Tab-separated table of all heavy atoms in Angstrom:
chain	number	residue	atom	x	y	z
A	1	ARG	N	-32.743	-6.345	-49.909
A	1	ARG	CA	-33.727	-7.308	-50.414
A	1	ARG	C	-33.066	-8.508	-51.072
A	1	ARG	O	-33.651	-9.603	-51.145
A	1	ARG	CB	-34.634	-6.608	-51.438
A	1	ARG	CG	-35.581	-5.580	-50.812
A	1	ARG	CD	-36.481	-4.960	-51.860
A	1	ARG	NE	-37.271	-3.853	-51.311
A	1	ARG	CZ	-38.095	-3.097	-52.019
A	1	ARG	NH1	-38.266	-3.343	-53.324
A	1	ARG	NH2	-38.744	-2.126	-51.441
A	2	ILE	N	-31.840	-8.325	-51.520
A	2	ILE	CA	-31.093	-9.397	-52.156
A	2	ILE	C	-30.916	-10.598	-51.228
A	2	ILE	O	-30.807	-11.742	-51.653
A	2	ILE	CB	-29.724	-8.920	-52.677
A	2	ILE	CG1	-29.022	-10.007	-53.518
A	2	ILE	CG2	-28.846	-8.491	-51.513
A	2	ILE	CD1	-29.742	-10.383	-54.770
A	3	PHE	N	-30.923	-10.342	-49.909
A	3	PHE	CA	-30.731	-11.416	-48.937
A	3	PHE	C	-31.874	-12.419	-48.989
A	3	PHE	O	-31.684	-13.606	-48.619
A	3	PHE	CB	-30.598	-10.827	-47.520
A	3	PHE	CG	-29.264	-10.197	-47.257
A	3	PHE	CD1	-28.940	-8.945	-47.750
A	3	PHE	CD2	-28.315	-10.874	-46.487
A	3	PHE	CE1	-27.698	-8.382	-47.508
A	3	PHE	CE2	-27.062	-10.298	-46.235
A	3	PHE	CZ	-26.764	-9.040	-46.754
A	4	LYS	N	-33.071	-11.998	-49.425
A	4	LYS	CA	-34.224	-12.897	-49.475
A	4	LYS	C	-34.687	-13.197	-50.906
A	4	LYS	O	-35.563	-14.052	-51.096
A	4	LYS	CB	-35.411	-12.276	-48.702
A	4	LYS	CG	-35.147	-12.134	-47.198
A	4	LYS	CD	-36.344	-11.591	-46.488
A	4	LYS	CE	-36.131	-11.496	-44.982
A	4	LYS	NZ	-37.302	-10.966	-44.265
A	5	ASP	N	-34.136	-12.501	-51.863
A	5	ASP	CA	-34.585	-12.643	-53.249
A	5	ASP	C	-33.822	-13.817	-53.908
A	5	ASP	O	-32.765	-13.655	-54.503
A	5	ASP	CB	-34.312	-11.342	-54.021
A	5	ASP	CG	-34.999	-11.330	-55.380
A	5	ASP	OD1	-35.281	-12.424	-55.937
A	5	ASP	OD2	-35.234	-10.231	-55.912
A	6	LYS	N	-34.421	-15.009	-53.829
A	6	LYS	CA	-33.754	-16.226	-54.336
A	6	LYS	C	-33.612	-16.200	-55.864
A	6	LYS	O	-32.612	-16.714	-56.399
A	6	LYS	CB	-34.553	-17.462	-53.929
A	6	LYS	CG	-34.698	-17.619	-52.415
A	6	LYS	CD	-33.314	-17.728	-51.739
A	6	LYS	CE	-33.468	-17.916	-50.223
A	6	LYS	NZ	-32.165	-17.941	-49.564
A	7	GLU	N	-34.570	-15.593	-56.556
A	7	GLU	CA	-34.492	-15.539	-57.992
A	7	GLU	C	-33.313	-14.641	-58.441
A	7	GLU	O	-32.583	-14.982	-59.391
A	7	GLU	CB	-35.804	-15.013	-58.609
A	7	GLU	CG	-36.942	-16.021	-58.482
A	7	GLU	CD	-38.176	-15.574	-59.233
A	7	GLU	OE1	-38.153	-14.431	-59.819
A	7	GLU	OE2	-39.163	-16.313	-59.249
A	8	MET	N	-33.148	-13.500	-57.801
A	8	MET	CA	-32.049	-12.632	-58.130
A	8	MET	C	-30.709	-13.277	-57.760
A	8	MET	O	-29.732	-13.165	-58.526
A	8	MET	CB	-32.200	-11.273	-57.428
A	8	MET	CG	-31.053	-10.291	-57.717
A	8	MET	SD	-30.841	-9.900	-59.468
A	8	MET	CE	-32.228	-8.785	-59.719
A	9	GLN	N	-30.659	-13.976	-56.632
A	9	GLN	CA	-29.452	-14.671	-56.261
A	9	GLN	C	-29.061	-15.704	-57.355
A	9	GLN	O	-27.909	-15.817	-57.721
A	9	GLN	CB	-29.657	-15.392	-54.920
A	9	GLN	CG	-29.750	-14.472	-53.739
A	9	GLN	CD	-29.993	-15.209	-52.451
A	9	GLN	OE1	-29.639	-16.397	-52.324
A	9	GLN	NE2	-30.574	-14.547	-51.461
A	10	LYS	N	-30.068	-16.423	-57.843
A	10	LYS	CA	-29.830	-17.432	-58.883
A	10	LYS	C	-29.300	-16.772	-60.146
A	10	LYS	O	-28.365	-17.252	-60.825
A	10	LYS	CB	-31.090	-18.217	-59.151
A	10	LYS	CG	-30.895	-19.321	-60.183
A	10	LYS	CD	-32.208	-20.086	-60.394
A	10	LYS	CE	-32.014	-21.209	-61.439
A	10	LYS	NZ	-33.282	-21.970	-61.646
A	11	LEU	N	-29.906	-15.621	-60.518
A	11	LEU	CA	-29.484	-14.906	-61.709
A	11	LEU	C	-28.041	-14.435	-61.567
A	11	LEU	O	-27.235	-14.561	-62.502
A	11	LEU	CB	-30.389	-13.694	-61.930
A	11	LEU	CG	-29.951	-12.746	-63.068
A	11	LEU	CD1	-29.898	-13.484	-64.407
A	11	LEU	CD2	-30.923	-11.544	-63.140
A	12	ILE	N	-27.674	-13.925	-60.407
A	12	ILE	CA	-26.332	-13.442	-60.160
A	12	ILE	C	-25.314	-14.590	-60.253
A	12	ILE	O	-24.235	-14.448	-60.824
A	12	ILE	CB	-26.223	-12.715	-58.822
A	12	ILE	CG1	-26.997	-11.389	-58.866
A	12	ILE	CG2	-24.764	-12.505	-58.387
A	12	ILE	CD1	-27.101	-10.651	-57.551
A	13	ARG	N	-25.676	-15.741	-59.698
A	13	ARG	CA	-24.812	-16.917	-59.821
A	13	ARG	C	-24.599	-17.311	-61.283
A	13	ARG	O	-23.462	-17.629	-61.711
A	13	ARG	CB	-25.375	-18.093	-59.033
A	13	ARG	CG	-25.116	-18.051	-57.543
A	13	ARG	CD	-25.395	-19.390	-56.890
A	13	ARG	NE	-26.805	-19.703	-56.905
A	13	ARG	CZ	-27.670	-19.371	-55.932
A	13	ARG	NH1	-27.228	-18.698	-54.869
A	13	ARG	NH2	-28.916	-19.722	-55.998
A	14	THR	N	-25.691	-17.260	-62.044
A	14	THR	CA	-25.577	-17.625	-63.465
A	14	THR	C	-24.702	-16.632	-64.212
A	14	THR	O	-23.852	-17.012	-65.025
A	14	THR	CB	-26.975	-17.618	-64.092
A	14	THR	OG1	-27.785	-18.612	-63.450
A	14	THR	CG2	-26.920	-17.944	-65.582
A	15	LEU	N	-24.880	-15.335	-63.942
A	15	LEU	CA	-24.093	-14.321	-64.625
A	15	LEU	C	-22.611	-14.430	-64.230
A	15	LEU	O	-21.734	-14.279	-65.103
A	15	LEU	CB	-24.612	-12.933	-64.259
A	15	LEU	CG	-25.986	-12.539	-64.835
A	15	LEU	CD1	-26.487	-11.265	-64.209
A	15	LEU	CD2	-25.901	-12.401	-66.351
A	16	ALA	N	-22.328	-14.689	-62.971
A	16	ALA	CA	-20.953	-14.848	-62.524
A	16	ALA	C	-20.262	-15.996	-63.280
A	16	ALA	O	-19.083	-15.916	-63.657
A	16	ALA	CB	-20.879	-15.093	-61.020
A	17	LYS	N	-21.004	-17.072	-63.506
A	17	LYS	CA	-20.454	-18.246	-64.151
A	17	LYS	C	-20.289	-18.066	-65.647
A	17	LYS	O	-19.359	-18.570	-66.269
A	17	LYS	CB	-21.366	-19.437	-63.870
A	17	LYS	CG	-20.803	-20.773	-64.337
A	17	LYS	CD	-21.721	-21.897	-63.911
A	17	LYS	CE	-21.193	-23.265	-64.380
A	17	LYS	NZ	-22.069	-24.376	-63.937
A	18	THR	N	-21.223	-17.318	-66.270
A	18	THR	CA	-21.221	-17.219	-67.723
A	18	THR	C	-20.430	-16.007	-68.255
A	18	THR	O	-19.706	-16.134	-69.250
A	18	THR	CB	-22.653	-17.129	-68.266
A	18	THR	OG1	-23.334	-16.000	-67.638
A	18	THR	CG2	-23.395	-18.395	-67.972
A	19	CYS	N	-20.553	-14.859	-67.608
A	19	CYS	CA	-19.852	-13.683	-68.145
A	19	CYS	C	-19.084	-12.915	-67.056
A	19	CYS	O	-18.304	-12.009	-67.394
A	19	CYS	CB	-20.838	-12.728	-68.794
A	19	CYS	SG	-22.078	-11.993	-67.685
A	20	GLY	N	-19.279	-13.279	-65.781
A	20	GLY	CA	-18.604	-12.571	-64.718
A	20	GLY	C	-19.441	-11.401	-64.209
A	20	GLY	O	-20.306	-10.893	-64.958
A	21	ILE	N	-19.249	-11.051	-62.945
A	21	ILE	CA	-19.954	-9.880	-62.392
A	21	ILE	C	-18.986	-8.907	-61.794
A	21	ILE	O	-17.911	-9.278	-61.316
A	21	ILE	CB	-21.021	-10.303	-61.322
A	21	ILE	CG1	-20.346	-11.000	-60.144
A	21	ILE	CG2	-22.117	-11.159	-61.949
A	21	ILE	CD1	-21.293	-11.254	-58.955
A	22	VAL	N	-19.399	-7.640	-61.820
A	22	VAL	CA	-18.633	-6.554	-61.177
A	22	VAL	C	-19.540	-6.030	-60.066
A	22	VAL	O	-20.670	-5.667	-60.297
A	22	VAL	CB	-18.347	-5.423	-62.177
A	22	VAL	CG1	-17.685	-4.269	-61.472
A	22	VAL	CG2	-17.446	-5.937	-63.314
A	23	VAL	N	-19.015	-6.020	-58.824
A	23	VAL	CA	-19.787	-5.552	-57.673
A	23	VAL	C	-19.330	-4.157	-57.306
A	23	VAL	O	-18.154	-3.919	-57.000
A	23	VAL	CB	-19.663	-6.516	-56.481
A	23	VAL	CG1	-20.455	-5.992	-55.311
A	23	VAL	CG2	-20.091	-7.909	-56.876
A	24	LEU	N	-20.258	-3.221	-57.304
A	24	LEU	CA	-19.984	-1.817	-56.927
A	24	LEU	C	-21.040	-1.359	-55.930
A	24	LEU	O	-22.174	-1.092	-56.288
A	24	LEU	CB	-19.989	-0.919	-58.172
A	24	LEU	CG	-19.855	0.580	-57.923
A	24	LEU	CD1	-18.516	0.892	-57.288
A	24	LEU	CD2	-20.017	1.339	-59.226
A	25	THR	N	-20.668	-1.317	-54.673
A	25	THR	CA	-21.582	-0.896	-53.626
A	25	THR	C	-21.022	0.356	-52.942
A	25	THR	O	-19.878	0.764	-53.211
A	25	THR	CB	-21.802	-1.958	-52.548
A	25	THR	OG1	-20.527	-2.170	-51.855
A	25	THR	CG2	-22.272	-3.280	-53.152
A	26	ASP	N	-21.817	0.965	-52.067
A	26	ASP	CA	-21.321	2.067	-51.271
A	26	ASP	C	-20.218	1.567	-50.354
A	26	ASP	O	-20.124	0.362	-50.080
A	26	ASP	CB	-22.461	2.694	-50.427
A	26	ASP	CG	-23.539	3.330	-51.304
A	26	ASP	OD1	-23.321	3.468	-52.544
A	26	ASP	OD2	-24.607	3.666	-50.766
A	27	SER	N	-19.409	2.505	-49.841
A	27	SER	CA	-18.283	2.092	-48.986
A	27	SER	C	-18.617	2.138	-47.509
A	27	SER	O	-17.720	2.282	-46.670
A	27	SER	CB	-17.050	2.999	-49.293
A	27	SER	OG	-16.545	2.686	-50.554
A	28	ASP	N	-19.898	2.055	-47.185
A	28	ASP	CA	-20.291	2.011	-45.773
A	28	ASP	C	-20.485	0.556	-45.320
A	28	ASP	O	-20.268	-0.403	-46.108
A	28	ASP	CB	-21.575	2.823	-45.547
A	28	ASP	CG	-22.720	2.343	-46.429
A	28	ASP	OD1	-22.605	1.291	-47.087
A	28	ASP	OD2	-23.781	3.034	-46.462
A	29	ALA	N	-20.870	0.385	-44.083
A	29	ALA	CA	-21.014	-0.968	-43.528
A	29	ALA	C	-22.041	-1.795	-44.309
A	29	ALA	O	-21.836	-2.974	-44.596
A	29	ALA	CB	-21.422	-0.869	-42.057
A	30	ALA	N	-23.159	-1.169	-44.707
A	30	ALA	CA	-24.205	-1.878	-45.441
A	30	ALA	C	-23.673	-2.358	-46.786
A	30	ALA	O	-23.933	-3.487	-47.199
A	30	ALA	CB	-25.411	-0.973	-45.640
A	31	GLY	N	-22.925	-1.520	-47.442
A	31	GLY	CA	-22.350	-1.894	-48.759
A	31	GLY	C	-21.429	-3.085	-48.635
A	31	GLY	O	-21.431	-3.990	-49.482
A	32	PHE	N	-20.612	-3.095	-47.578
A	32	PHE	CA	-19.695	-4.220	-47.379
A	32	PHE	C	-20.430	-5.500	-46.982
A	32	PHE	O	-20.006	-6.596	-47.310
A	32	PHE	CB	-18.608	-3.873	-46.375
A	32	PHE	CG	-17.429	-3.173	-47.014
A	32	PHE	CD1	-17.490	-1.831	-47.359
A	32	PHE	CD2	-16.268	-3.844	-47.329
A	32	PHE	CE1	-16.406	-1.163	-47.964
A	32	PHE	CE2	-15.201	-3.229	-47.953
A	32	PHE	CZ	-15.263	-1.889	-48.260
A	33	GLN	N	-21.555	-5.366	-46.306
A	33	GLN	CA	-22.354	-6.561	-45.957
A	33	GLN	C	-22.930	-7.168	-47.246
A	33	GLN	O	-22.941	-8.405	-47.384
A	33	GLN	CB	-23.529	-6.151	-45.034
A	33	GLN	CG	-23.092	-5.847	-43.610
A	33	GLN	CD	-24.251	-5.390	-42.761
A	33	GLN	OE1	-25.377	-5.868	-42.930
A	33	GLN	NE2	-24.011	-4.489	-41.848
A	34	ILE	N	-23.373	-6.338	-48.182
A	34	ILE	CA	-23.916	-6.815	-49.451
A	34	ILE	C	-22.811	-7.483	-50.226
A	34	ILE	O	-23.018	-8.552	-50.869
A	34	ILE	CB	-24.592	-5.685	-50.236
A	34	ILE	CG1	-25.860	-5.226	-49.485
A	34	ILE	CG2	-24.933	-6.129	-51.655
A	34	ILE	CD1	-26.500	-3.998	-50.052
A	35	ARG	N	-21.632	-6.883	-50.277
A	35	ARG	CA	-20.488	-7.537	-50.988
A	35	ARG	C	-20.222	-8.924	-50.417
A	35	ARG	O	-20.030	-9.888	-51.162
A	35	ARG	CB	-19.224	-6.682	-50.801
A	35	ARG	CG	-19.141	-5.439	-51.652
A	35	ARG	CD	-17.785	-4.780	-51.449
A	35	ARG	NE	-17.775	-3.462	-51.997
A	35	ARG	CZ	-17.528	-3.168	-53.289
A	35	ARG	NH1	-17.250	-4.168	-54.121
A	35	ARG	NH2	-17.506	-1.927	-53.705
A	36	ALA	N	-20.161	-9.006	-49.097
A	36	ALA	CA	-19.871	-10.285	-48.455
A	36	ALA	C	-20.942	-11.317	-48.776
A	36	ALA	O	-20.651	-12.487	-49.003
A	36	ALA	CB	-19.735	-10.092	-46.932
A	37	MET	N	-22.192	-10.871	-48.778
A	37	MET	CA	-23.274	-11.786	-49.075
A	37	MET	C	-23.164	-12.321	-50.492
A	37	MET	O	-23.300	-13.527	-50.752
A	37	MET	CB	-24.617	-11.030	-48.891
A	37	MET	CG	-25.847	-11.879	-49.129
A	37	MET	SD	-26.377	-11.786	-50.858
A	37	MET	CE	-27.777	-12.899	-50.796
A	38	LEU	N	-22.863	-11.421	-51.473
A	38	LEU	CA	-22.739	-11.850	-52.872
A	38	LEU	C	-21.578	-12.809	-53.027
A	38	LEU	O	-21.677	-13.806	-53.762
A	38	LEU	CB	-22.555	-10.615	-53.768
A	38	LEU	CG	-23.777	-9.698	-53.898
A	38	LEU	CD1	-23.428	-8.474	-54.739
A	38	LEU	CD2	-24.966	-10.432	-54.455
A	39	SER	N	-20.487	-12.525	-52.348
A	39	SER	CA	-19.342	-13.429	-52.412
A	39	SER	C	-19.688	-14.799	-51.861
A	39	SER	O	-19.217	-15.821	-52.369
A	39	SER	CB	-18.177	-12.814	-51.603
A	39	SER	OG	-17.055	-13.687	-51.624
A	40	GLY	N	-20.576	-14.842	-50.861
A	40	GLY	CA	-20.960	-16.100	-50.237
A	40	GLY	C	-21.885	-16.932	-51.080
A	40	GLY	O	-21.912	-18.158	-50.934
A	41	ILE	N	-22.653	-16.322	-51.982
A	41	ILE	CA	-23.625	-17.084	-52.756
A	41	ILE	C	-23.085	-17.485	-54.152
A	41	ILE	O	-23.699	-18.289	-54.836
A	41	ILE	CB	-24.957	-16.337	-52.935
A	41	ILE	CG1	-24.762	-15.066	-53.795
A	41	ILE	CG2	-25.615	-16.040	-51.619
A	41	ILE	CD1	-26.062	-14.458	-54.280
A	42	VAL	N	-21.956	-16.869	-54.564
A	42	VAL	CA	-21.380	-17.200	-55.862
A	42	VAL	C	-20.283	-18.249	-55.676
A	42	VAL	O	-19.251	-17.991	-55.082
A	42	VAL	CB	-20.804	-15.941	-56.544
A	42	VAL	CG1	-20.083	-16.310	-57.812
A	42	VAL	CG2	-21.916	-14.942	-56.849
A	43	TRP	N	-20.553	-19.451	-56.134
A	43	TRP	CA	-19.637	-20.552	-55.927
A	43	TRP	C	-18.709	-20.789	-57.121
A	43	TRP	O	-17.656	-21.369	-56.992
A	43	TRP	CB	-20.442	-21.843	-55.640
A	43	TRP	CG	-21.442	-21.621	-54.581
A	43	TRP	CD1	-21.214	-21.123	-53.309
A	43	TRP	CD2	-22.857	-21.850	-54.648
A	43	TRP	NE1	-22.410	-21.061	-52.599
A	43	TRP	CE2	-23.432	-21.481	-53.387
A	43	TRP	CE3	-23.716	-22.360	-55.640
A	43	TRP	CZ2	-24.789	-21.593	-53.135
A	43	TRP	CZ3	-25.056	-22.471	-55.374
A	43	TRP	CH2	-25.596	-22.092	-54.129
A	44	GLU	N	-19.133	-20.341	-58.283
A	44	GLU	CA	-18.333	-20.494	-59.482
A	44	GLU	C	-18.361	-19.179	-60.275
A	44	GLU	O	-19.307	-18.385	-60.160
A	44	GLU	CB	-18.887	-21.607	-60.399
A	44	GLU	CG	-18.851	-23.002	-59.800
A	44	GLU	CD	-19.421	-24.013	-60.788
A	44	GLU	OE1	-18.684	-24.377	-61.733
A	44	GLU	OE2	-20.585	-24.408	-60.614
A	45	GLY	N	-17.329	-18.974	-61.061
A	45	GLY	CA	-17.304	-17.793	-61.938
A	45	GLY	C	-16.457	-16.670	-61.384
A	45	GLY	O	-15.648	-16.866	-60.479
C-alpha cells in the first residue's frame, strides 16, 4: 500500500530528513521491492 500512499511517503521522507529511518522488511522478493521503493522516494536524510 505504501506504493500509493502519498501521505505516508511524505511522512517517511520527513522522518528520514529529521531523525533518520531504519528499514526492516522480510528477506523475500516483496520485502526487497519495498526497500527499493523507500530508497527511491527518500531524497535527503
Side-chain angles (χ1 to χ4, degrees):
R1 291 182 187 177
I2 188 63
F3 284 77
K4 295 183 178 180
D5 191 337
K6 300 302 181 182
E7 290 187 358
M8 179 59 75
Q9 290 178 24
K10 183 178 180 180
L11 174 59
I12 289 173
R13 279 194 293 270
T14 299
L15 290 170
K17 188 175 180 179
T18 56
C19 65
I21 61 172
V22 175
V23 180
L24 175 62
T25 65
D26 295 349
S27 289
D28 57 8
F32 273 79
Q33 287 177 35
I34 292 172
R35 283 185 192 276
M37 182 269 178
L38 293 176
S39 178
I41 66 167
V42 174
W43 310 306
E44 297 180 77

